[in-house]
Amino acid sequence: FDTGNNNISCSSGFNYSGTGTRTLTLGTSTITLTGGSWTMTTSTGLTFNGGSSTISMTSRNATFTGGGLTYNIVSVTATGGGGITFLSANTFTTLTIRPSGNGAITVGADQSVSGLFTVDNNTSAASNAGLLAGGSSTGVFTKGSARTISAGSVSLANTTFADIVGAGAATWTGTNIGDGGGNSNITFTTPVTRYWVDTNGGSWQTTASWSTTSGGASGATIPLPQDTAIFDANSIT
């Protein structure tokens, strides 16, 4: 199958299965997936030419099963509070991942990005820190299943990492970065103290609930795992 450098839109994902001798050539195409997932069930017998293509996925819960192949530009965005799962050890030139709000990204195998690796939540708000975590080969979050992500450079924001090893030439630091444990080679945001001040009840995941002082003005960033969250006499009426 050769895209002929044409752009392709898929409303229910892209599935390329089988074990026979076959070739998939993407050329300069942009492949847009609105719903569903990218699924390479097996790469046995496959000659894959990713070329200078772009794969752009938008789905509530997206799974990228790459078959251990080499891709050019890949962008995966979740919607509606959904998460993202990466399966098989893949290689990318550029990789952008955006879960929705505080949704989760589960990495079921080591990933390699020769260029820029971007991870941020889809709402780009400090009140929503998504989770990027290592997991089993089937994409289930499993504490202690550390996965390595190698990148030439990184752009990180509003994300909590768990069981992730940062590798490659990149300096692994960013904005509003949480430490969920089991990580290495990642610089996390300096711990702070936050006070709950939404006396009528509220959501942990909103800046309206938090202050930098007891009974003070709201609007502080929500607590990350390494922060201290305090509920005192000024927290609940």
Side-chain angles (χ1 to χ4, degrees), residues 193-197 204 210 214 223 228-233 235:
T193 298
R194 292 290 180 257
Y195 294 83
W196 180 276
V197 291
W204 185 284
W210 300 101
S214 177
T228 299
I230 294 179
F231 293 79
D232 61 13
S235 295

Side-chain angles (χ1 to χ4, degrees), residues 12 14 16 31 36 49 58 82 139 151 174-175 181 201 214 222 231 235-236:
S12 59
F14 187 92
Y16 205 69
I31 299 176
N49 300 314
T58 302
T175 303
S214 177
I222 66 167
F231 293 79
S235 295
I236 301 174

Side-chain angles (χ1 to χ4, degrees), residues 11 60-61 64 82 85-86 92 95 110 126 132 137 149 209 234:
S11 61
R60 188 179 187 281
N61 289 296
F64 190 94
T85 303
F86 275 80
F92 308 89
L95 177 62
D110 297 344
L132 174 60
S137 60
I149 301 177
S209 299
N234 293 318

Side-chain angles (χ1 to χ4, degrees), residues 34-158:
T34 52
S37 298
W38 180 273
T39 305
M40 286 288 183
T41 305
T42 175
S43 57
T44 301
L46 172 66
T47 298
F48 178 73
N49 300 314
S52 55
S53 63
T54 297
I55 299 173
S56 178
M57 296 174 57
T58 302
S59 179
R60 188 179 187 281
N61 289 296
T63 298
F64 190 94
T65 305
L69 302 172
T70 298
Y71 298 85
N72 186 41
I73 298 173
V74 173
S75 175
V76 185
T77 301
T79 59
I84 299 168
T85 303
F86 275 80
L87 301 178
S88 61
N90 310 297
T91 300
F92 308 89
T93 299
T94 301
L95 177 62
T96 300
I97 312 175
R98 289 191 169 97
S100 179
N102 60 335
I105 306 165
T106 305
V107 181
D110 297 344
Q111 307 294 315
S112 178
V113 185
S114 61
L116 177 63
F117 171 58
T118 300
V119 58
D120 192 356
N121 65 11
N122 196 19
T123 53
S124 298
S127 59
N128 289 296
L131 174 69
L132 174 60
S136 69
S137 60
T138 58
V140 177
F141 172 61
T142 306
K143 188 64 178 172
S145 296
R147 300 297 182 181
T148 298
I149 301 177
S150 178
S153 60
V154 296
S155 176
L156 313 175
N158 308 321

